[in-house]
Amino acid sequence: MIGQAVNRVDGPLKATGRAAYAYEHWEAGQPLYGFIVGATIGKGRITRIDTEDAEGAPGVQLVMTYLNAPAQGPRDESIPFEYWRAQPMLTGPDIHFYGEPVALVVAETFEQARDAADLVEVEYRAGRGRFDFGEFEDDTYIPKTVNAGLPTDTAVGDFDAGFAGAEVKVDQQYTTPYEFSMPIEPNASMVAPHGDDDLVVYVSCQITDAARDSVAGTLMMDPERVHIVTPFVGGGFGSKLGIHSETILAAMAARALGRPVKVTLTRQQVFQLVGMRPTSSQRVRLGAGHDGRLAAIAHDVTMHTNPDVEYAEQTAATVRSLYAAPHRLTSHRLTALDLPRGTDVRAPGEAPGMLSVESAMDELADALGMDPVELRIRNEPTVDPERNVPYSDRHLVECLREGARRFGWENRPATPASVREGRWLIGYGMSAAIRGHFQGPTTVRVRLEPDGTAVIQTDMTDIGTGTYTILTQVGAEGLGLPLERVRIDLGRSDHPSSWGSGGSWGATNSSTAVHRACAALRTKLLDAALGDTRSPLHGQDPSAAVFSDGDVAIGGASEALREIVARHHPDGVEAEGQTRFMGDDPNYSDYSINTYGAHFAEVGVDADTAETRLRRMLSVFSVGRVFNPKTARSQLIGGMIWGVGAALEEEAVVDPRSGAFVNRDFAGYLVPVHGDIPADIDAVVLEGYDDKANPLGAKGIGEVGICGSGAAVANAVFNATGVRVRDFPITIEKLLPGLPAMV
């Protein structure tokens, strides 16, 4: 079953509206509705808050502010991962960023709560906030580590000497804007009291275990008393790795009122309360010989962080494993601003980092007069150039060559701005892709029922990426069952815990654990049958056993699994499988384990207006073994499209007077829509198997699609126009002044 292009097993539920998302659960009874009141300044202090009119409004049951909020647990910085920490709300009068919750209004209907929220009167004493990244960019500090525990800075060889002695140099500054995950489903939660002390939390989250610990830590509860329910998540892309204000406020209100309380963020509130990819200023320096071989490479990044909750995106880490060069340097610096905290947005670090590095590589190719594909092949390393360990399974060169062949790269205009079709300037661009593969602790329970059906249980989540489907496939293959006899039960904290969906680790972690649980369950079943004189398999060689179509066969003898279970385990039989943390797995220290890809794009740029349109795009990936080609291709193309948005559209703009995001809706914050993406877009995956990654040979694919894809588009724009834009996204006003005059 593994490797087949199976349709999504949860597709019928979603297509018919029977898949219940966080805001759509009704089993707890009629809920109350909460609406968050946000601060209208970006820095300062509340001097007066009057809730009398709101409390007297129709249907209102509670108005909670810092004056009557319950005591909460503090953020515990000793907990290594942010998403497991307490997230206290309404803790005092100080305002740390625009939109920060200052009150929660709870009423019988959503409309009543929303209308009453307008009646809460808040007066402030505004302070001088730090909102403008450009103004404070030079006021930086050095974080201890960056995201994923990676080192802040690295140095190999003598970069200054290597760069100074290089025959050809590129030294450029690139900037990337604030970006948001923006899943279709806004962050939402319903919290229902259960019994005397328990809470049932229906929430849209990516990591169930983190949500439970965070709620429990905030409300100072025993985690066993918090029950997270999140069977379906309408997209996350990092924005739901941790829980946010809507969940904590709903939980506090539910405990105070003894009734279920629903709270969802409006789309505008998502922009202020969920966190974003930090803006960055990146200096990339490349020094090479005339033959294109890199002698020196450096990537120095400065980005925004919140002064209270540090987040250092690993933007410069990508280059550490990508290209060979004897002299190397990377660094990260943070500028504290009074803005919402930075957070993981799809492909954190790699997405903005590769946008800059792969643009710089294109600039180097142009300076050398060399084909950009050939330049990258000439700088292919034999071992990880900074860790000095072998790669587990690296096929980047194959991706580059196969992509070039399929795309027709030989037809690329050799000279920028040299090809025109009517009003359109035509250009080709390409880039490489790399992303680290991660592994986290995950446990899965597989249970075989007396009727011969299997139930797979884990708190792993499905954020629309196909978890239900691939776990069905792995479980069916592991036990030799038809797909329809495997049921997946996800997203409940009462199930064995996992690292959830994020970081491209979810599929491989959970599938590996299912694989191991099925192996343990097969052993139990075989031991029972082989030792039972009533079984046709009695005394047979277990090494020859074949599980297929609900039976187990050895030679000419076979028996149905349900018969073995009925005799020996009348209530069913189960086993657990685990995946351990990568820090405890020697493969992750002995090898550099990554996924790879190569992107190719063709764009047209209107010679008069600078309107840029993607005409076609092709990417080729090496990701080890693929569980389901259909869901894999969908994810990869989604990532590629995200890269198109990063190159041409996405940009959140801060009002330097208040710290508010000016374009905090889909009218102003642009993302690619159907009209922006041509039908001619495809993702090709090379056959592969990485035995160092896990027993299944598979690696994560959720984010490698976005890595570098924006740079391919940006490089195509340069090839079409001869104009290099280094301040992303590439918009009309940045491109138009440099367009060549046309006769």
Side-chain angles (χ1 to χ4, degrees), residues 90-318:
L90 304 179
T91 56
D94 292 331
I95 302 301
H96 305 89
F97 58 89
Y98 186 96
E100 180 178 7
V102 296
L104 176 73
V105 178
V106 182
E108 293 288 347
T109 70
F110 172 81
E111 291 77 12
Q112 289 173 335
R114 180 193 59 195
D115 292 346
D118 287 337
L119 301 177
V120 177
E121 297 182 13
V122 187
E123 295 178 1
Y124 305 95
R125 182 174 65 250
R128 184 179 184 273
R130 294 162 56 102
F131 306 131
D132 188 339
F133 179 73
E135 180 182 353
F136 297 99
E137 182 179 344
D138 294 333
D139 183 7
T140 65
Y141 72 92
I142 305 174
K144 292 181 180 179
T145 62
V146 296
N147 199 23
L150 298 174
T152 301
D153 299 345
T154 61
V156 176
D158 186 340
F159 172 80
D160 290 337
F163 187 71
E167 297 170 321
V168 181
K169 300 183 181 70
V170 168
D171 184 351
Q172 295 293 351
Q173 202 84 14
Y174 304 86
T175 57
T176 63
Y178 300 103
E179 293 178 353
F180 288 85
S181 294
M182 287 297 127
I184 292 175
E185 179 199 21
N187 300 72
S189 180
M190 182 181 78
V191 182
H194 181 72
D196 294 332
D197 301 305
D198 289 17
L199 287 179
V200 180
V201 182
Y202 304 89
V203 62
S204 185
C205 69
Q206 295 178 232
I207 309 177
T208 307
D209 187 61
R212 181 195 63 182
D213 284 6
S214 188
V215 170
T218 307
L219 274 60
M220 297 184 288
M221 296 176 62
D222 180 349
E224 297 299 319
R225 297 291 188 181
V226 177
H227 308 276
I228 304 296
V229 181
T230 179
F232 294 100
V233 180
F237 313 114
S239 68
K240 298 172 183 175
L241 287 168
I243 57 158
H244 301 282
S245 54
E246 81 288 342
T247 304
I248 295 301
L249 294 174
M252 290 195 296
R255 292 188 90 188
L257 296 169
R259 289 183 59 182
V261 175
K262 283 186 175 185
V263 181
T264 187
L265 301 183
T266 67
R267 183 60 66 181
Q268 288 199 342
Q269 288 174 331
V270 170
F271 281 85
Q272 302 292 164
L273 298 180
V274 172
M276 68 287 196
R277 191 192 304 280
T279 190
S280 74
S281 175
Q282 305 179 41
R283 184 185 184 188
V284 181
R285 288 172 286 174
L286 305 174
H290 289 301
D291 63 357
R293 300 190 187 279
L294 288 168
I297 184 169
H299 191 186
D300 301 298
V301 180
T302 300
M303 71 195 81
H304 121 276
T305 188
N306 179 277
D308 302 306
V309 185
E310 180 180 282
Y311 177 77
E313 192 169 22
Q314 67 275 34
T315 308
T318 298

Side-chain angles (χ1 to χ4, degrees), residues 440-497:
T442 296
T443 302
V444 171
R445 180 190 303 123
V446 177
R447 178 177 179 81
L448 197 60
E449 301 288 3
D451 63 358
T453 62
V455 179
I456 297 175
Q457 295 179 322
T458 173
D459 74 358
M460 169 70 178
T461 52
D462 190 327
I463 56 175
T465 48
T467 304
Y468 281 101
T469 306
I470 61 170
L471 295 191
T472 299
Q473 292 177 260
V474 175
E477 180 163 300
L479 294 176
L481 294 174
L483 293 173
E484 62 271 15
R485 288 175 61 182
V486 178
R487 180 168 62 86
I488 310 299
D489 190 359
L490 299 179
R492 294 180 179 272
S493 58
D494 297 334
H495 294 339
S497 66

